[in-house]
Amino acid sequence: MAFDRMDRIDLHCHSTASDGRLMPAQLVERASNAGLRALALTDHDTTAGLPAFHEAGRKYGIETISGVEISASYANGTMHMLGLFVDENNPGFREFLARLAEGRNIRNPKIVKKLNELGMAITMQEVEQEA
């Protein structure tokens, strides 16, 4: 089955709002240049990049989809759950994402401390700069 170039979409991409290398508007521009019809921004535990993402979608004529990737723990470890068509303005959802961010702010310094104890010379500032 052959697909027309404008049938292509990407439902999982990250921006500088989490661990991506491109700003949200740059992702949309690249998607436009590649001939994609639609793109979902699914940053880790945040919707901070969505306003600029949607604005760029209007500029480039690409359907933009609000998304998020949530890390979840379960009995055998962790998994990433992808949410598409999320309502980033929903107060309950925003509160949930804020709790996730708060947990990271507590957890990350503990991880850096443990790495230091194991002999790895790394600072929280280095981690934040890389992120």
Side-chain angles (χ1 to χ4, degrees), residues 46-52 54 58 66-68 85-97:
T46 184
T47 58
L50 289 175
H54 291 306
R58 288 187 291 276
S66 297
V68 68
F85 299 99
V86 299
D87 178 1
E88 66 264 28
N89 296 312
N90 178 288
F93 185 59
R94 292 172 68 96
E95 183 180 316
F96 170 71
L97 293 178

Side-chain angles (χ1 to χ4, degrees), residues 31-119:
S32 175
N33 292 339
L36 269 65
R37 181 176 58 85
L39 185 67
L41 181 60
T42 54
D43 281 318
H44 291 281
D45 304 328
T46 184
T47 58
L50 289 175
F53 177 71
H54 291 306
E55 183 179 328
R58 288 187 291 276
K59 176 181 175 183
Y60 290 99
I62 289 187
E63 179 182 354
T64 53
I65 300 166
S66 297
V68 68
E69 184 172 351
I70 304 281
S71 299
S73 298
Y74 70 107
N76 295 328
T78 60
M79 73 172 104
H80 292 181
M81 297 176 15
L82 208 57
L84 298 173
F85 299 99
V86 299
D87 178 1
E88 66 264 28
N89 296 312
N90 178 288
F93 185 59
R94 292 172 68 96
E95 183 180 316
F96 170 71
L97 293 178
R99 283 195 314 268
L100 290 177
E102 184 179 309
R104 257 192 325 278
N105 291 337
I106 293 168
R107 183 179 63 249
N108 289 349
K110 289 180 181 179
I111 293 170
V112 168
K113 182 180 180 204
K114 183 66 175 177
L115 289 170
N116 290 161
E117 290 170 359
L118 293 171

Side-chain angles (χ1 to χ4, degrees), residues 17-29:
S18 68
D19 62 345
R21 301 230 181 251
L22 298 175
M23 294 186 305
Q26 291 173 309
L27 286 170
V28 176
E29 181 180 13

